[in-house]
Amino acid sequence: MSDESWYSERLYDDWRQGFRVTRDIYRVQDGLQDIRVFETPGFGRVLALDGVIQVTAGDEFVYHEMLAHTPIYAHGGVRSVCVVGGGDGGMVREVLRHAQVERVVLVEIDASVIDLCRRYLPMVSDGAFDDPRLEVAIADGAAFMRDGTERFDVIIVDSTDPIGPGAVLFSQDFYGDCARRLTDEGILVNQNGVPFLQGGEITDTYRRRRVHFADVGFYVAAVPTYVGGVMALGWASPSLRPRAETLETLRARFAAAPIPTRYYTPDVHKAAFALPRYVEVLVTA
Ligand code: SAM
């Protein structure tokens, strides 16, 4: 097999992940990011930005379900959600499964990601962009949080890694603005990297958040294409209550408002907050 039929992810200096590419679907450098969509035998359609895998049709459900349903079931009364990043539409698809959610604002910096994903990865958004509860804002998520006043029950940061345009979404100022834009028992969640390879992200996030929130924690999910072990998902809230909800409460909420899932269950939700020791030690003052 020739090298041309493989895509090599360039996220790490010393380790690469390769995908066999059966068809190149789209490629453009739009001024903001290098955007690429291609077809693979193992994971279906794949979106890569600036050389880093963002979403694959095959395993996106793990990531999207755990970032959307965990805060929503933990809160128990979510009406409004803001998704920062997430231009592929998978996160808003999962959020909009909750009938109680009345309003979702998607704040994506790069309009072309939305356009391309709607065209070439329609299975990811699966009609979510046509839902009347969804409002799309093309803006930098940090500026959006800093400049506005509307408060949300849940803020989900579905961003790229802390390089390029996504870096600002890992800053202390951004976390402070998110704290101001949450309701009293609101929850902020985000993708916080793969601790085995990006451990510094957890420590930095913990230190930057604890000045703004009463509860700062992490939970984990195993996403096959975010290689290197479990992925860390960040959790922050002005209230200790949502993270402390019992398994019985989560089961009751899930039973009362069930949605189809392939990864999330109330038991997985509760267990996801048990951190392996090598991750736990990264959460440090
Ligand atoms: N699930 C993915 C992952 O963790 O690899 C993230 C997918 S999603 C496509 C990431 C999105 O964040 C991209 O569409 C990118 O354009 C967007 N983004 C990056 N920086 C941003 C910013 N400052 N404000 C809003 N959106 C941003």
Short mmCIF file of all heavy atoms in Angstrom, two decimals, residues 24 29 64 66 77 110 138 170 231 260 280:
data_model
loop_
_atom_site.label_atom_id
_atom_site.label_comp_id
_atom_site.label_asym_id
_atom_site.label_seq_id
_atom_site.Cartn_x
_atom_site.Cartn_y
_atom_site.Cartn_z
N ASP A 24 -10.61 10.75 -0.75
CA ASP A 24 -10.52 12.12 -0.25
C ASP A 24 -11.78 12.83 -0.66
O ASP A 24 -12.12 12.89 -1.85
CB ASP A 24 -9.30 12.82 -0.86
CG ASP A 24 -8.14 12.85 0.11
OD1 ASP A 24 -8.37 13.19 1.28
OD2 ASP A 24 -7.02 12.50 -0.29
N GLN A 29 -7.81 25.11 2.78
CA GLN A 29 -7.21 25.96 3.83
C GLN A 29 -8.02 27.25 3.77
O GLN A 29 -7.91 28.01 2.82
CB GLN A 29 -5.73 26.19 3.49
CG GLN A 29 -5.03 27.23 4.36
CD GLN A 29 -4.68 26.70 5.75
OE1 GLN A 29 -4.07 25.65 5.90
NE2 GLN A 29 -5.08 27.45 6.76
N HIS A 64 -19.77 12.70 22.10
CA HIS A 64 -20.94 13.58 22.14
C HIS A 64 -21.92 13.21 23.24
O HIS A 64 -22.45 14.08 23.93
CB HIS A 64 -21.62 13.59 20.76
CG HIS A 64 -20.81 14.28 19.72
ND1 HIS A 64 -20.60 13.78 18.45
CD2 HIS A 64 -20.10 15.43 19.78
CE1 HIS A 64 -19.83 14.62 17.77
NE2 HIS A 64 -19.51 15.62 18.54
N MET A 66 -21.29 11.68 26.08
CA MET A 66 -20.77 11.93 27.43
C MET A 66 -20.67 13.42 27.76
O MET A 66 -20.84 13.82 28.91
CB MET A 66 -19.41 11.24 27.62
CG MET A 66 -19.53 9.73 27.77
SD MET A 66 -20.58 9.24 29.18
CE MET A 66 -19.42 9.41 30.52
N GLY A 77 -32.89 19.88 35.30
CA GLY A 77 -33.93 20.82 34.86
C GLY A 77 -33.40 21.77 33.79
O GLY A 77 -33.75 22.96 33.78
N ASP A 110 -15.80 29.14 12.91
CA ASP A 110 -15.49 28.90 11.50
C ASP A 110 -16.74 28.40 10.77
O ASP A 110 -17.09 27.22 10.84
CB ASP A 110 -14.35 27.87 11.42
CG ASP A 110 -13.72 27.80 10.05
OD1 ASP A 110 -14.35 28.25 9.08
OD2 ASP A 110 -12.60 27.27 9.96
N ILE A 138 -21.90 32.70 14.50
CA ILE A 138 -20.53 32.53 14.00
C ILE A 138 -19.67 33.56 14.72
O ILE A 138 -19.75 34.77 14.43
CB ILE A 138 -20.47 32.72 12.46
CG1 ILE A 138 -21.41 31.72 11.77
CG2 ILE A 138 -19.01 32.56 11.98
CD1 ILE A 138 -21.13 30.25 12.09
N PHE A 170 -9.21 27.75 26.73
CA PHE A 170 -8.60 27.10 27.89
C PHE A 170 -8.00 28.15 28.84
O PHE A 170 -7.19 27.82 29.70
CB PHE A 170 -7.50 26.12 27.44
CG PHE A 170 -8.05 24.92 26.69
CD1 PHE A 170 -8.39 25.01 25.35
CD2 PHE A 170 -8.24 23.70 27.33
CE1 PHE A 170 -8.89 23.91 24.65
CE2 PHE A 170 -8.74 22.60 26.65
CZ PHE A 170 -9.08 22.70 25.31
N MET A 231 -9.99 9.69 27.62
CA MET A 231 -10.01 11.14 27.44
C MET A 231 -10.59 11.77 28.70
O MET A 231 -11.49 11.20 29.33
CB MET A 231 -10.91 11.47 26.25
CG MET A 231 -11.26 12.93 26.13
SD MET A 231 -12.08 13.27 24.59
CE MET A 231 -10.99 14.53 23.95
N PRO A 260 -32.28 7.45 23.21
CA PRO A 260 -31.46 6.33 22.74
C PRO A 260 -29.98 6.66 22.87
O PRO A 260 -29.55 7.73 22.43
CB PRO A 260 -31.85 6.19 21.27
CG PRO A 260 -32.39 7.53 20.87
CD PRO A 260 -32.94 8.17 22.11
N GLU A 280 -5.81 11.15 38.54
CA GLU A 280 -6.15 11.82 39.79
C GLU A 280 -5.00 12.71 40.28
O GLU A 280 -5.23 13.82 40.76
CB GLU A 280 -6.45 10.73 40.83
CG GLU A 280 -7.18 11.19 42.05
CD GLU A 280 -7.46 10.00 42.96
OE1 GLU A 280 -6.53 9.25 43.29
OE2 GLU A 280 -8.63 9.83 43.34
#
